[in-house]
């Protein structure tokens, strides 16, 4: 009888504790290392026993994630509290009123002081029309990953220009005679990474899509970019004929299996190459800035991910506390060490533990600082769609660079009216 009494008391205490517990649901994309994020949420829970964080994982690519999130948010679904969004999204979130603006938690002086700690590109990307829409999680940029062992075997130094990269790839491919080995990997399917592929040659030649909200991209610049990527396949034979099928993580997986000499990838790939059990390239990869064109300059695509609070969350105050933790130097350091996610705090690029896990971060800060932002536009998904579909169609040989370039300009004009 006594036992039963105590059992009842225990059940009562536990259920009251559960009832008092706040449950936060966080959305994280499949490529943004949900395993490492879980570790970080466990740490938060251990310090905040009243809070439980559940992770929802979805979408392999940035655009697939957003397609799903658009459905959730457009229906004002309150089930997700906190969302990890790509650096290209804050303007869209602000325009759609999907994000709880964080200004109300941060008096303007505090907000100023907080934002100053981050790399300027991220402080800037998250303030839309004067409102703070999100806080930075990690920085990102595209780099040239290369097979150190293969370049060394042929007495080659990492390439500085695209011409050098093409020649090196041709030399190594001819020497290796390995039908499974490819030259220069880049994104070509209809996904967000392909937008970066499209923009890289335009930036490297000194161009851009818009300036001060006005469309400045010319048809000639668009054509030159489309032709450059097509030539890697058809003229220089350093990429296989099916580049129209390649998403970023496809290139990463193939490079991890030893099938690429060069890959134009974002920072997360490093940790996978070094630590995944199935990696064939552990210790064989080097990372340098992307090549430039003869007489031009190296350009990289600014990436990165941000924490935003859904405006439909029923736990906004608790969600804000979690987001402050997630955007702290402590978490930035964990993400750098466990996932090779580039820090959003400049000092972490000199941190001994961070550099032990990612020696190349020592030279990565200038690349992130010089990286170019994709257009900031409330209708960004449409802007992106025009660019990635054009490059994909050229690589699939459905359209010529001439026809696709014209469509890019017509498509963008309709959006930038
Ligand atoms: C990386 C970048 C992100 C970009 C994506 C494209 O995740 O951080 O900004 O959109 O790659 O694949």
């Amino acid at each position: 009888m006594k036992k039963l009494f105590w059992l009842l008391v225990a059940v009562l205490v536990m259920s009251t504790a559960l009832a008092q517990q706040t449950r936060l649901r966080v959305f994280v994309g499949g490529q943004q290392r949900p395993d490492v994020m879980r570790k970080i949420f466990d740490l938060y829970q251990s310090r905040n026993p009243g809070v439980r964080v559940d992770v929802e994982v979805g979408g392999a690519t940035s655009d697939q994630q957003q397609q799903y999130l658009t459905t959730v948010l457009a229906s004002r679904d309150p089930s997700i509290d906190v969302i990890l969004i790509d650096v290209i999204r804050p303007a869209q979130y602000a325009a759609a009123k999907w994000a709880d603006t964080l200004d109300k938690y941060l008096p303007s002086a505090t907000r100023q002081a907080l934002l100053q700690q981050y790399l300027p590109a991220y402080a800037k990307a998250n303030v839309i029309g004067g409102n703070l829409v999100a806080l930075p999680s990690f920085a990102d940029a595209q780099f040239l990953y290369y097979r150190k062992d293969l370049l060394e075997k042929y007495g080659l130094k990492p390439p500085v220009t695209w011409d050098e990269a093409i020649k090196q790839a041709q030399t190594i491919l001819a020497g290796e005679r390995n039908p499974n080995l490819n030259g220069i990997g880049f994104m070509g399917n209809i996904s967000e990474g392909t937008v970066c592929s499209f923009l890289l040659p335009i930036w490297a030649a000194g161009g851009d899509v818009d300036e001060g909200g006005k469309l400045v991209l010319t048809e000639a610049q668009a054509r030159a970019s489309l032709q450059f990527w097509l030539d890697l396949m058809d003229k220089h034979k350093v990429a296989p004929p099916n580049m129209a099928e390649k998403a970023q993580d496809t290139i990463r997986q193939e490079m991890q299996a030893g099938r690429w000499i060069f890959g134009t990838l974002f920072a997360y790939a490093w940790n996978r190459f070094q630590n995944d059990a199935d990696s064939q390239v552990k210790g064989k990869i080097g990372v340098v800035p992307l090549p430039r064109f003869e007489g031009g300059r190296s350009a990289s695509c600014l990436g990165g991910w941000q924490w935003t609070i859904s405006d439909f969350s029923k736990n906004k105050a608790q969600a804000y506390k979690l987001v402050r933790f997630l955007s702290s130097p402590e978490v930035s350091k964990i993400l750098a060490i466990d996932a090779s996610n580039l820090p959003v705090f400049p000092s972490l690029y000199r941190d001994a533990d961070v550099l032990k896990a990612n020696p190349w971060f020592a030279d990565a800060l200038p690349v992130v600082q010089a990286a170019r932002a994709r257009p900031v536009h409330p209708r960004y998904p449409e802007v992106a769609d025009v660019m990635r579909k054009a490059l994909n169609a050229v690589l699939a040989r459905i359209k010529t660079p001439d026809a696709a370039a014209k469509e890019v300009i017509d498509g963008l004009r309709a959006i930038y009216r």
Side-chain angles (χ1 to χ4, degrees), residues 32 62 86-88 140 192-193 248 266 302-305 374:
Q32 280 68 52
S62 171
D86 200 339
V87 68
I88 49 189
D140 214 351
E192 186 55 36
Q248 157 149 247
F266 283 88
L302 184 80
W305 292 79
R374 283 161 275 175

